[in-house]
Structure formats: structure tokens, C-alpha cells
Coordinates of all heavy atoms in Angstrom, one line a residue:
M27 N 114.8 123.6 84.2 CA 114.1 123.5 82.9 C 112.8 122.9 83.1 O 111.8 123.4 82.5 CB 115.0 122.8 81.9 CG 114.3 122.7 80.5 SD 115.1 121.7 79.4 CE 116.0 122.8 78.4
T28 N 112.7 121.8 83.8 CA 111.3 121.2 84.0 C 110.4 122.2 84.7 O 109.2 122.2 84.3 CB 111.4 119.9 84.8 OG1 112.1 120.2 86.1 CG2 112.2 118.8 84.1
G29 N 110.8 123.0 85.6 CA 110.0 124.0 86.2 C 109.5 125.0 85.2 O 108.3 125.4 85.3
E30 N 110.3 125.5 84.3 CA 109.9 126.4 83.3 C 108.8 125.8 82.3 O 107.8 126.4 82.0 CB 111.1 126.9 82.4 CG 112.0 127.8 83.2 CD 113.2 128.3 82.4 OE1 113.0 128.4 81.1 OE2 114.2 128.6 83.0
I31 N 109.0 124.6 81.9 CA 108.1 123.9 81.1 C 106.7 123.7 81.8 O 105.7 124.0 81.3 CB 108.6 122.5 80.6 CG1 109.8 122.8 79.7 CG2 107.5 121.7 79.9 CD1 110.6 121.5 79.3
A32 N 106.8 123.3 83.1 CA 105.6 123.1 83.9 C 104.8 124.4 84.0 O 103.6 124.4 83.9 CB 105.9 122.5 85.2
Q33 N 105.6 125.5 84.3 CA 104.9 126.8 84.5 C 104.2 127.2 83.2 O 103.0 127.7 83.2 CB 106.0 127.8 84.9 CG 105.4 129.1 85.4 CD 106.5 129.9 86.0 OE1 107.6 130.0 85.5 NE2 106.2 130.6 87.1
R34 N 104.8 127.0 82.0 CA 104.2 127.4 80.8 C 102.9 126.6 80.5 O 102.0 127.0 79.8 CB 105.2 127.2 79.6 CG 106.1 128.4 79.4 CD 106.8 128.2 78.1 NE 107.7 127.1 78.4 CZ 108.9 126.9 77.8 NH1 109.3 127.7 76.9 NH2 109.6 125.8 78.1
E35 N 102.9 125.3 81.0 CA 101.8 124.4 80.7 C 100.8 124.3 81.8 O 100.0 123.4 81.9 CB 102.4 123.0 80.4 CG 103.3 122.9 79.2 CD 102.6 123.3 77.9 OE1 101.4 123.0 77.7 OE2 103.2 124.0 77.0
S36 N 100.9 125.3 82.8 CA 100.1 125.3 84.0 C 100.2 123.9 84.8 O 99.2 123.4 85.3 CB 98.6 125.5 83.6 OG 98.5 126.8 83.0
G37 N 101.4 123.5 84.8 CA 101.7 122.2 85.6 C 102.5 122.5 86.8 O 102.6 123.6 87.3
A38 N 103.0 121.4 87.4 CA 103.8 121.5 88.6 C 104.9 120.5 88.6 O 104.9 119.6 87.8 CB 102.9 121.2 89.8
V39 N 106.0 120.8 89.3 CA 107.1 119.9 89.4 C 107.2 119.5 90.9 O 107.1 120.3 91.8 CB 108.4 120.6 89.0 CG1 109.6 119.7 89.3 CG2 108.4 121.1 87.6
I40 N 107.3 118.2 91.0 CA 107.4 117.6 92.4 C 108.8 116.9 92.4 O 109.1 116.1 91.6 CB 106.3 116.5 92.6 CG1 104.9 117.2 92.4 CG2 106.5 115.9 94.0 CD1 103.8 116.1 92.3
M41 N 109.6 117.3 93.4 CA 110.9 116.7 93.6 C 110.8 115.8 94.8 O 110.5 116.2 95.9 CB 112.0 117.7 93.7 CG 112.1 118.6 92.5 SD 113.3 119.8 92.6 CE 114.8 118.9 92.4
I42 N 111.0 114.5 94.6 CA 110.9 113.5 95.6 C 112.3 113.0 96.1 O 113.1 112.6 95.2 CB 110.1 112.3 95.2 CG1 108.7 112.8 94.7 CG2 109.9 111.3 96.3 CD1 107.8 111.7 94.1
E43 N 112.6 113.1 97.3 CA 113.8 112.6 97.8 C 113.8 111.1 97.9 O 112.9 110.5 98.4 CB 114.1 113.2 99.2 CG 115.4 112.8 99.9 CD 115.5 113.4 101.2 OE1 116.0 114.6 101.2 OE2 115.2 112.8 102.2
H44 N 114.8 110.4 97.3 CA 114.9 109.0 97.4 C 115.2 108.5 98.8 O 115.9 109.1 99.6 CB 116.1 108.6 96.5 CG 116.1 107.1 96.1 ND1 116.3 106.1 97.1 CD2 116.0 106.5 95.0 CE1 116.3 105.0 96.5 NE2 116.2 105.1 95.2
R45 N 114.6 107.4 99.1 CA 114.8 106.8 100.4 C 116.3 106.7 100.7 O 117.1 106.4 99.8 CB 114.2 105.4 100.4 CG 114.3 104.6 101.6 CD 113.8 103.2 101.3 NE 112.4 103.2 101.1 CZ 111.6 102.2 101.4 NH1 112.0 101.1 101.9 NH2 110.3 102.3 101.2
F46 N 116.7 106.9 101.9 CA 118.1 106.9 102.5 C 118.9 108.1 102.1 O 120.1 108.2 102.5 CB 118.9 105.6 102.0 CG 118.4 104.4 102.7 CD1 117.4 103.6 102.1 CD2 119.0 104.0 103.9 CE1 117.0 102.4 102.8 CE2 118.5 102.8 104.5 CZ 117.6 102.1 104.0
Y47 N 118.3 109.1 101.5 CA 119.1 110.4 101.2 C 118.5 111.4 102.1 O 117.3 111.4 102.4 CB 119.0 110.8 99.7 CG 119.7 109.8 98.9 CD1 119.2 108.6 98.4 CD2 121.1 110.0 98.6 CE1 119.9 107.7 97.6 CE2 121.8 109.1 97.8 CZ 121.2 108.0 97.4 OH 121.9 107.1 96.6
G48 N 119.3 112.4 102.6 CA 118.8 113.4 103.5 C 118.2 112.8 104.7 O 118.8 111.9 105.4
L49 N 117.0 113.1 105.1 CA 116.4 112.7 106.3 C 115.4 111.5 106.1 O 114.7 111.1 107.0 CB 115.6 113.8 107.0 CG 116.5 115.0 107.3 CD1 115.6 116.2 107.8 CD2 117.5 114.7 108.3
S50 N 115.4 110.9 104.9 CA 114.4 109.9 104.6 C 114.8 108.4 104.8 O 114.4 107.5 104.1 CB 113.9 110.0 103.2 OG 115.0 109.8 102.3
N51 N 115.7 108.2 105.8 CA 116.1 106.9 106.2 C 114.9 106.2 107.0 O 114.6 106.8 108.0 CB 117.4 106.9 107.0 CG 117.9 105.5 107.3 OD1 117.2 104.5 107.1 ND2 119.1 105.4 107.8
P52 N 114.4 105.1 106.5 CA 113.2 104.5 107.3 C 113.7 103.8 108.6 O 112.8 103.4 109.3 CB 112.6 103.5 106.3 CG 113.8 103.2 105.4 CD 114.6 104.4 105.3
Y53 N 115.0 103.7 108.8 CA 115.5 103.1 110.0 C 116.4 104.1 110.7 O 117.0 105.0 110.1 CB 116.2 101.8 109.6 CG 115.3 100.8 109.1 CD1 115.2 100.5 107.7 CD2 114.5 100.0 109.9 CE1 114.3 99.6 107.2 CE2 113.6 99.1 109.4 CZ 113.6 98.9 108.1 OH 112.7 97.9 107.6
P54 N 116.7 103.9 112.0 CA 117.5 104.8 112.7 C 119.0 104.6 112.5 O 119.8 105.3 113.1 CB 117.2 104.5 114.2 CG 116.8 103.1 114.2 CD 116.1 102.9 112.8
D55 N 119.4 103.7 111.6 CA 120.8 103.5 111.4 C 121.1 103.1 109.9 O 120.2 103.1 109.1 CB 121.3 102.4 112.3 CG 120.6 101.1 112.1 OD1 120.2 100.8 110.9 OD2 120.3 100.3 113.0
L56 N 122.3 102.9 109.6 CA 122.7 102.5 108.2 C 123.3 101.1 108.3 O 124.3 100.8 107.6 CB 123.7 103.5 107.6 CG 123.2 104.9 107.4 CD1 124.3 105.8 106.9 CD2 122.0 104.9 106.5
S57 N 122.6 100.2 109.0 CA 123.1 98.8 109.1 C 122.8 98.0 107.8 O 122.0 98.5 107.0 CB 122.4 98.1 110.3 OG 121.0 98.0 110.0
V58 N 123.4 96.9 107.7 CA 123.1 96.0 106.6 C 121.7 95.7 106.5 O 121.0 95.7 105.4 CB 124.0 94.7 106.6 CG1 123.6 93.7 105.6 CG2 125.5 95.1 106.5
K59 N 121.0 95.4 107.7 CA 119.6 95.1 107.7 C 118.8 96.2 107.1 O 117.8 96.0 106.4 CB 119.2 94.8 109.1 CG 117.7 94.4 109.3 CD 117.5 93.0 109.8 CE 116.1 92.8 110.0 NZ 115.4 92.1 108.9
S60 N 119.1 97.5 107.5 CA 118.3 98.6 107.0 C 118.4 98.7 105.5 O 117.5 99.1 104.8 CB 118.6 99.9 107.7 OG 119.9 100.4 107.4
F61 N 119.6 98.4 105.0 CA 119.8 98.5 103.5 C 119.1 97.5 102.7 O 119.1 97.5 101.5 CB 121.3 98.6 103.2 CG 121.8 100.0 103.3 CD1 122.6 100.3 104.4 CD2 121.5 101.0 102.4 CE1 123.1 101.6 104.5 CE2 122.0 102.3 102.5 CZ 122.8 102.6 103.6
E62 N 118.5 96.5 103.3 CA 117.8 95.5 102.6 C 116.6 96.0 101.9 O 116.1 95.4 100.9 CB 117.3 94.3 103.6 CG 118.4 93.5 104.0 CD 118.0 92.4 105.0 OE1 116.8 92.3 105.4 OE2 118.9 91.6 105.5
V63 N 116.1 97.2 102.3 CA 115.0 97.9 101.6 C 115.5 99.0 100.7 O 114.7 99.9 100.4 CB 113.9 98.3 102.6 CG1 113.3 97.2 103.3 CG2 114.5 99.3 103.6
H64 N 116.7 99.0 100.4 CA 117.3 100.1 99.5 C 117.6 99.5 98.2 O 118.7 99.3 97.8 CB 118.6 100.6 100.2 CG 119.2 101.8 99.5 ND1 118.4 102.9 99.1 CD2 120.5 102.1 99.2 CE1 119.2 103.8 98.6 NE2 120.4 103.4 98.6
T65 N 116.5 99.2 97.5 CA 116.6 98.5 96.2 C 115.9 99.3 95.1 O 115.1 100.1 95.4 CB 116.0 97.1 96.2 OG1 114.6 97.2 96.4 CG2 116.7 96.2 97.3
V66 N 116.2 99.0 93.9 CA 115.5 99.7 92.8 C 114.0 99.3 92.8 O 113.1 100.2 92.6 CB 116.1 99.3 91.4 CG1 115.2 99.7 90.2 CG2 117.5 99.9 91.3
D67 N 113.7 98.1 93.1 CA 112.3 97.7 93.2 C 111.5 98.4 94.2 O 110.4 98.9 94.1 CB 112.1 96.2 93.4 CG 112.5 95.3 92.2 OD1 112.4 95.8 91.1 OD2 112.9 94.2 92.4
Q68 N 112.2 98.6 95.4 CA 111.6 99.4 96.5 C 111.4 100.8 96.1 O 110.4 101.5 96.4 CB 112.4 99.2 97.8 CG 111.7 99.9 99.0 CD 110.4 99.2 99.3 OE1 110.3 98.0 99.4 NE2 109.3 100.0 99.3
A69 N 112.4 101.4 95.4 CA 112.3 102.8 95.0 C 111.1 103.0 94.0 O 110.3 103.9 94.1 CB 113.6 103.2 94.3
I70 N 110.9 102.0 93.1 CA 109.8 102.1 92.2 C 108.5 102.0 93.0 O 107.5 102.8 92.7 CB 109.9 101.0 91.1 CG1 111.0 101.3 90.2 CG2 108.6 100.8 90.4 CD1 111.4 100.2 89.2
D71 N 108.4 101.1 93.9 CA 107.2 101.0 94.8 C 106.9 102.2 95.6 O 105.8 102.6 95.7 CB 107.4 99.8 95.7 CG 107.3 98.4 95.0 OD1 106.9 98.4 93.8 OD2 107.7 97.4 95.7
D72 N 108.0 102.9 96.1 CA 107.8 104.1 96.8 C 107.2 105.2 95.9 O 106.3 105.9 96.3 CB 109.2 104.7 97.3 CG 109.7 103.9 98.5 OD1 109.0 103.1 99.1 OD2 110.9 104.1 98.8
F73 N 107.7 105.4 94.7 CA 107.1 106.4 93.8 C 105.7 106.1 93.4 O 104.9 106.9 93.3 CB 108.0 106.6 92.6 CG 109.3 107.2 92.9 CD1 110.5 106.6 92.6 CD2 109.3 108.5 93.4 CE1 111.7 107.3 92.9 CE2 110.5 109.2 93.7 CZ 111.7 108.5 93.4
D74 N 105.4 104.8 93.2 CA 104.1 104.4 92.8 C 103.1 104.7 94.0 O 102.1 105.3 93.8 CB 104.0 102.9 92.5 CG 102.6 102.4 92.2 OD1 102.1 102.9 91.2 OD2 102.1 101.6 93.0
Y75 N 103.5 104.4 95.2 CA 102.7 104.7 96.4 C 102.5 106.2 96.6 O 101.4 106.6 96.8 CB 103.4 104.1 97.7 CG 102.6 104.3 98.9 CD1 101.6 103.4 99.3 CD2 102.7 105.5 99.7 CE1 100.8 103.7 100.4 CE2 102.0 105.7 100.8 CZ 101.0 104.8 101.2 OH 100.2 105.0 102.2
F76 N 103.6 106.9 96.4 CA 103.5 108.4 96.5 C 102.4 108.9 95.5 O 101.5 109.7 95.8 CB 104.8 109.1 96.2 CG 104.7 110.6 96.1 CD1 104.8 111.3 97.3 CD2 104.6 111.2 94.9 CE1 104.7 112.7 97.2 CE2 104.5 112.6 94.8 CZ 104.5 113.3 96.0
A77 N 102.5 108.5 94.2 CA 101.6 109.0 93.2 C 100.2 108.7 93.5 O 99.3 109.5 93.2 CB 102.0 108.5 91.8
R78 N 99.9 107.5 94.0 CA 98.6 107.1 94.3 C 98.0 107.7 95.6 O 96.8 107.7 95.7 CB 98.5 105.6 94.4 CG 98.8 104.9 93.1 CD 98.7 103.4 93.1 NE 99.3 102.8 92.0 CZ 98.7 102.7 90.8 NH1 97.5 103.3 90.6 NH2 99.3 102.1 89.8
H79 N 98.8 108.2 96.5 CA 98.3 108.6 97.8 C 98.6 110.1 98.1 O 98.1 110.6 99.2 CB 98.9 107.8 98.9 CG 98.4 106.3 98.8 ND1 99.1 105.4 98.1 CD2 97.3 105.7 99.3 CE1 98.5 104.2 98.2 NE2 97.4 104.4 98.9
V80 N 99.3 110.8 97.3 CA 99.7 112.2 97.7 C 98.5 113.1 97.5 O 97.6 113.0 96.6 CB 100.9 112.7 96.8 CG1 100.5 112.9 95.3 CG2 101.4 114.0 97.4
T81 N 98.4 114.1 98.4 CA 97.5 115.3 98.3 C 98.4 116.5 98.1 O 99.2 116.8 99.0 CB 96.6 115.5 99.5 OG1 95.8 114.3 99.6 CG2 95.7 116.7 99.3
L82 N 98.5 117.0 96.9 CA 99.4 118.1 96.6 C 99.0 119.4 97.3 O 97.8 119.7 97.4 CB 99.6 118.3 95.1 CG 100.1 117.0 94.4 CD1 100.0 117.2 92.9 CD2 101.5 116.7 94.9
P83 N 99.9 120.2 97.8 CA 99.6 121.3 98.7 C 99.2 122.6 97.9 O 99.8 123.7 98.1 CB 100.9 121.5 99.5 CG 102.0 121.1 98.5 CD 101.4 120.0 97.8
F84 N 98.2 122.5 97.0 CA 97.7 123.7 96.4 C 96.3 123.4 96.1 O 95.8 122.3 96.1 CB 98.5 124.1 95.1 CG 98.8 123.0 94.2 CD1 97.9 122.5 93.3 CD2 100.1 122.4 94.1 CE1 98.1 121.5 92.4 CE2 100.4 121.4 93.2 CZ 99.4 120.9 92.4
P85 N 95.5 124.5 95.7 CA 94.0 124.3 95.5 C 93.8 123.2 94.4 O 94.4 123.2 93.4 CB 93.6 125.7 95.0 CG 94.6 126.6 95.6 CD 95.9 125.9 95.6
G86 N 93.0 122.2 94.8 CA 92.7 121.1 93.9 C 93.7 120.1 93.9 O 93.7 119.1 93.1
G87 N 94.7 120.2 94.7 CA 95.8 119.2 94.8 C 95.4 117.8 95.0 O 96.1 116.8 94.7
D88 N 94.2 117.6 95.6 CA 93.7 116.3 95.9 C 93.1 115.7 94.6 O 92.7 114.5 94.6 CB 92.7 116.3 97.0 CG 91.5 117.2 96.7 OD1 91.6 118.2 95.9 OD2 90.4 116.9 97.3
Q89 N 93.0 116.4 93.5 CA 92.3 116.0 92.3 C 93.4 115.8 91.2 O 93.0 115.8 90.0 CB 91.3 117.0 91.9 CG 90.1 117.1 92.8 CD 89.4 115.8 93.0 OE1 89.0 115.2 92.0 NE2 89.2 115.4 94.2
I90 N 94.7 115.7 91.5 CA 95.7 115.7 90.5 C 96.5 114.4 90.6 O 97.7 114.4 90.4 CB 96.6 117.0 90.6 CG1 95.7 118.2 90.5 CG2 97.6 117.0 89.4 CD1 96.4 119.5 90.5
G91 N 95.9 113.3 90.8 CA 96.6 112.0 90.8 C 96.9 111.6 89.4 O 96.3 112.2 88.4
P92 N 97.7 110.6 89.2 CA 98.1 110.2 87.9 C 96.9 109.6 87.1 O 97.0 109.5 85.9 CB 99.2 109.2 88.1 CG 99.0 108.7 89.5 CD 98.4 109.9 90.3
D93 N 95.9 109.2 87.8 CA 94.7 108.7 87.1 C 93.8 109.9 86.6 O 92.9 109.7 85.8 CB 93.9 107.8 88.0 CG 93.4 108.5 89.3 OD1 94.1 109.4 89.8 OD2 92.4 108.1 89.8
K94 N 94.1 111.1 87.0 CA 93.3 112.3 86.6 C 94.0 113.3 85.8 O 93.4 114.2 85.1 CB 92.7 113.0 87.9 CG 91.8 112.0 88.7 CD 91.3 112.7 89.9 CE 90.4 111.8 90.6 NZ 90.8 111.5 92.0
A95 N 95.3 113.3 85.8 CA 96.1 114.3 85.1 C 97.4 113.6 84.6 O 97.9 112.7 85.3 CB 96.4 115.5 85.9
P96 N 98.0 114.0 83.5 CA 99.2 113.4 83.1 C 100.4 113.7 84.0 O 100.6 114.8 84.4 CB 99.5 114.0 81.7 CG 98.5 115.0 81.5 CD 97.5 115.0 82.6
W97 N 101.2 112.7 84.3 CA 102.4 112.8 85.1 C 103.5 112.4 84.3 O 103.4 111.4 83.5 CB 102.3 111.9 86.4 CG 101.5 112.4 87.5 CD1 100.2 113.0 87.4 CD2 101.8 112.4 88.9 NE1 99.7 113.3 88.6 CE2 100.7 112.9 89.6 CE3 102.9 111.9 89.6 CZ2 100.6 113.0 90.9 CZ3 102.8 112.0 91.0 CH2 101.7 112.6 91.6
I98 N 104.6 113.1 84.3 CA 105.8 112.8 83.6 C 106.9 112.6 84.6 O 107.2 113.5 85.4 CB 106.2 113.9 82.6 CG1 105.1 114.1 81.6 CG2 107.6 113.6 81.9 CD1 105.3 115.3 80.8
F99 N 107.6 111.4 84.6 CA 108.7 111.2 85.5 C 110.0 111.4 84.7 O 110.2 110.8 83.7 CB 108.6 109.7 86.0 CG 109.4 109.4 87.2 CD1 108.9 109.3 88.4 CD2 110.8 109.2 87.1 CE1 109.7 109.0 89.6 CE2 111.6 108.9 88.2 CZ 111.0 108.8 89.4
A100 N 110.8 112.3 85.2 CA 112.0 112.7 84.5 C 113.2 112.7 85.4 O 113.0 112.9 86.6 CB 111.8 114.0 83.8
G101 N 114.4 112.6 84.9 CA 115.6 112.8 85.7 C 116.8 112.6 84.9 O 116.7 112.3 83.7
G102 N 117.9 112.7 85.5 CA 119.2 112.5 84.8 C 120.0 111.6 85.6 O 119.9 111.5 86.8
S103 N 120.9 110.9 85.0 CA 121.8 109.9 85.7 C 120.9 108.8 86.3 O 120.1 108.2 85.7 CB 122.7 110.6 86.7 OG 123.7 109.7 87.1
Y104 N 121.1 108.5 87.6 CA 120.4 107.5 88.3 C 118.9 107.8 88.2 O 118.1 106.8 87.9 CB 120.8 107.3 89.7 CG 119.9 106.4 90.5 CD1 119.9 105.1 90.3 CD2 119.0 107.0 91.4 CE1 119.0 104.2 91.0 CE2 118.1 106.2 92.2 CZ 118.1 104.8 91.9 OH 117.3 104.0 92.6
S105 N 118.4 109.0 88.4 CA 117.0 109.3 88.4 C 116.4 109.1 87.0 O 115.3 108.8 86.8 CB 116.7 110.7 89.0 OG 117.3 111.7 88.2
G106 N 117.2 109.4 86.0 CA 116.8 109.1 84.6 C 116.6 107.6 84.3 O 115.7 107.2 83.7
A107 N 117.6 106.8 84.8 CA 117.4 105.4 84.7 C 116.2 104.9 85.5 O 115.4 104.1 85.0 CB 118.7 104.7 85.2
L108 N 116.0 105.4 86.7 CA 114.8 105.1 87.5 C 113.5 105.4 86.7 O 112.6 104.7 86.7 CB 114.9 105.8 88.8 CG 113.9 105.3 89.9 CD1 113.9 103.9 90.1 CD2 114.1 106.1 91.1
A109 N 113.5 106.6 86.0 CA 112.3 107.0 85.2 C 112.1 105.9 84.2 O 110.9 105.5 83.9 CB 112.6 108.3 84.6
A110 N 113.1 105.4 83.5 CA 112.9 104.4 82.5 C 112.4 103.1 83.1 O 111.5 102.4 82.6 CB 114.2 104.1 81.7
W111 N 113.0 102.7 84.3 CA 112.6 101.5 84.9 C 111.1 101.5 85.4 O 110.4 100.5 85.4 CB 113.5 101.1 86.1 CG 114.9 100.9 85.7 CD1 115.4 100.3 84.5 CD2 116.1 101.2 86.4 NE1 116.7 100.2 84.5 CE2 117.2 100.8 85.6 CE3 116.3 101.8 87.6 CZ2 118.5 101.0 86.1 CZ3 117.7 102.0 88.1 CH2 118.7 101.6 87.3
I112 N 110.7 102.7 85.9 CA 109.3 102.9 86.3 C 108.4 102.7 85.1 O 107.3 102.1 85.2 CB 109.1 104.3 87.0 CG1 109.8 104.2 88.3 CG2 107.7 104.6 87.0 CD1 109.8 105.6 89.0
K113 N 108.8 103.2 84.0 CA 108.0 103.1 82.8 C 107.7 101.6 82.4 O 106.6 101.3 81.9 CB 108.7 103.8 81.6 CG 108.0 103.7 80.3 CD 107.1 104.8 80.1 CE 106.6 104.8 78.6 NZ 105.3 105.4 78.5
V114 N 108.7 100.7 82.6 CA 108.5 99.3 82.3 C 108.0 98.4 83.4 O 107.8 97.3 83.2 CB 109.8 98.7 81.6 CG1 110.2 99.4 80.4 CG2 110.9 98.7 82.6
A115 N 108.0 99.0 84.6 CA 107.6 98.2 85.8 C 106.1 98.0 85.8 O 105.3 98.7 85.3 CB 108.0 98.9 87.1

């Protein structure tokens, strides 16, 4: 649904994999030490860093940071809660 809305509004949808899911483990193992950086605060910092530093892979993608175009963070379940936490962070 978000893709359909973005398409109608000439927008884009970016799906970001949360740290430790898929291939995005910042450490080579799943030790207790590596999970010290698997926190909500760190997830918020990751998304903030991404938004400020990404160059999106389409024409003008380097001109679409959150300071130049509206960004909407959305999700359901955990990602929905994360969207709310980012809003207040």
C-alpha cells in the first residue's frame, strides 16, 4: 500500500533492513557482546544516520534528504513502534 501511495504522489518507498536481520549483522557472530549494539536507541541512530547520508539510486537521489523533501517513517508491529519512537527521539 505504501508503494501505491508513493507512486501516486511521485514519491519513493525505501525499505531498510534492521541491524542483525538478514546480512546486516555488524559483527561476525551472535555473541552477547555483539548484541550490546542491538538496542532501540541504536536502531533510531541507524535510521537517522541513513536519512542524513544516503544517496538514493535514481536521478536527483542526492537531493532528496529529509531536509529537502518530506519523509514519512511507517511500519506495523515493531517497525510501527519504532516509527513512533523515532518521532519523539
Side-chain angles (χ1 to χ4, degrees):
M27 181 189 257
T28 54
E30 289 181 27
I31 294 169
Q33 197 170 35
R34 275 188 294 207
E35 299 298 323
S36 300
V39 173
I40 303 165
M41 297 180 76
I42 302 172
E43 181 177 274
H44 193 297
R45 181 187 290 212
F46 287 92
Y47 292 87
L49 301 175
S50 62
N51 185 349
Y53 294 100
D55 58 36
L56 296 177
S57 66
V58 171
K59 178 117 176 97
S60 71
F61 275 105
E62 289 177 359
V63 295
H64 188 45
T65 65
V66 169
D67 288 335
Q68 187 61 54
I70 291 169
D71 290 347
D72 287 347
F73 288 120
D74 180 63
Y75 181 88
F76 173 84
R78 294 180 193 284
H79 295 92
V80 67
T81 298
L82 299 172
F84 48 78
D88 60 334
Q89 296 299 311
I90 307 183
D93 58 330
K94 298 182 178 121
W97 283 43
I98 300 169
F99 195 101
S103 192
Y104 169 73
S105 60
L108 190 57
W111 296 327
I112 286 172
K113 177 92 173 152
V114 298

